[in-house]
Amino acid sequence: MKDRLLDVGWLRIFDAVGRLGSLTRAAQELGLSQPAVTYQIRRVEDQLGVQLFHRSQGGSRLSEPGEALFRAVHSGLERIDEAARDIRRKARAPAIRIFTDYGFAAFWLMPRVADFRRLHPQVEVHIVASQSLEDDLEENADAAVLFGGKDDFPDTARLLMPERVVPVCTPGFLARFGPFEEAAALAKAPLLHLETSGRPRWLTWTTWLAAQGVTREPAQGDLGLNTYSFVVQAALAEQGIALGWIGLVDAFLAAGTLVAIAPEVQRKDFGYWLVPHRPATGAAQALTQWLVDEA
């Protein structure tokens, strides 16, 4: 004879009692009376032939069989709720999530994303930025734009913006500390450093100067900052010379608020890469193609 299948209408009630350890609090959370909650729990116990809770004046504590059932019920409800949220999200206007770092989000993506929204007004766009380039790609992102080398990313990644770096400062800083006719002269000025935990994927002042045949130890007056937005703000405040990534500082160069003061350095196979994440929806495909076209 086949085992009788459990009636599952009690799942929410059982989960609430197990989580809260109280019939009364479970009833309050679910908007039910305590007798109704007690009745449902007893029905399940009758069906299983075991006691699921140890009841006392202090509340209702799960028994050993109750613990086993609670783990299965709670996990199942979480998956059901997540599936329901996903179904509702997809039933609404198409939504896409793109994951990137603060510098790219602030200086490249945000000034342009309004153009995408005008082209696709029905699509909801979510931009998720991280301070650390070592963070994993957010699980629910449709795509990411991340900085690094070709070997840092899967074969499906596409180079959007190659790394091109030029030292920049304000005209006022240049007038006070310049001219900087050679790289060695820059090494004597206050420099602004973009810091990170772990291995930096981008050019640093050490690697930029090395490309010019110059070595330099960190000097008094240098300033280290942990986001590129801070580096740019410090350069605009005339606190030092920054490395300017072409694509991120273009607007400042065009406006003349920052000026390039030394040769550009490029690195092959390094830069911002478009990394697809989950199977692309039509909206996600539209966004990734727009990113490619813009870059």
Side-chain angles (χ1 to χ4, degrees):
M1 182 177 177
K2 296 178 65 175
D3 289 340
R4 179 186 173 191
L5 296 178
L6 285 174
D7 173 13
V8 297
W10 51 268
L11 290 178
R12 294 276 179 200
I13 294 173
F14 175 77
D15 178 71
V17 177
R19 280 188 294 105
L20 300 172
S22 167
L23 295 167
T24 301
R25 289 199 295 272
Q28 291 171 344
E29 180 180 280
L30 297 171
L32 300 172
S33 67
Q34 181 178 327
V37 171
T38 302
Y39 171 74
Q40 289 293 341
I41 296 299
R42 285 179 176 162
R43 281 190 63 211
V44 181
E45 290 178 329
D46 290 342
Q47 290 182 60
L48 291 174
V50 296
Q51 185 176 352
L52 297 175
F53 293 93
H54 299 299
R55 297 170 178 84
S56 67
Q57 288 186 344
S60 299
R61 180 172 54 86
L62 286 163
S63 64
E64 185 176 344
E67 287 277 6
L69 184 61
F70 176 76
R71 287 193 295 270
V73 168
H74 188 69
S75 175
L77 286 175
E78 284 186 330
R79 291 197 296 271
I80 291 169
D81 290 341
E82 178 60 33
R85 283 192 293 269
D86 191 52
I87 290 168
R88 291 190 184 105
R89 180 180 61 82
K90 290 178 179 177
R92 296 195 300 265
I96 46 181
R97 294 169 68 86
I98 183 165
F99 183 75
T100 189
D101 63 51
Y102 286 130
F104 187 86
F107 297 124
W108 194 93
L109 187 55
M110 290 304 299
R112 293 171 170 82
V113 74
D115 293 336
F116 175 81
R117 296 177 68 197
R118 279 192 290 270
L119 292 171
H120 303 275
Q122 78 284 5
V123 177
E124 185 178 323
V125 180
H126 298 266
I127 299 171
V128 183
S130 169
Q131 181 169 319
S132 172
L133 295 180
E134 301 299 327
D135 283 353
D136 291 333
L137 174 62
E138 186 178 270
E139 182 180 354
N140 293 322
D142 293 283
V145 177
L146 301 174
F147 194 95
K150 182 177 182 180
D151 294 339
D152 294 322
F153 305 111
D155 293 339
T156 53
R158 180 170 182 173
L159 183 61
L160 277 185
M161 205 161 68
E163 185 175 32
R164 299 168 53 205
V165 180
V166 60
V168 296
C169 68
T170 64
F173 186 93
L174 178 61
R176 292 206 323 272
F177 293 94
F180 303 106
E181 296 178 351
E182 54 186 24
L186 268 70
K188 299 176 183 178
L191 303 181
L192 303 173
H193 301 268
L194 177 58
E195 297 180 338
T196 183
S197 58
R199 174 180 64 89
R201 295 178 178 178
W202 50 81
L203 275 169
T204 65
W205 271 115
T206 299
T207 50
W208 186 90
L209 289 167
Q212 311 300 319
V214 177
T215 58
R216 174 186 187 268
E217 295 296 327
Q220 186 175 1
D222 283 5
L223 181 60
L225 304 118
N226 69 343
T227 70
Y228 194 58
S229 298
F230 293 164
V231 171
V232 172
Q233 290 300 316
L236 293 170
E238 301 191 352
Q239 296 185 47
I241 303 172
L243 290 174
W245 273 263
I246 301 302
L248 303 188
V249 298
D250 299 30
F252 301 102
L253 294 175
T257 51
L258 293 176
V259 292
I261 57 173
E264 179 183 299
V265 170
Q266 300 185 29
R267 284 201 300 173
K268 183 181 179 181
D269 292 336
F270 275 79
Y272 277 104
W273 293 77
L274 174 62
V275 186
H277 183 38
R278 56 191 182 187
T281 63
Q285 289 176 341
L287 176 67
T288 54
Q289 186 57 55
W290 174 80
L291 286 167
V292 170
D293 294 341
E294 285 292 308

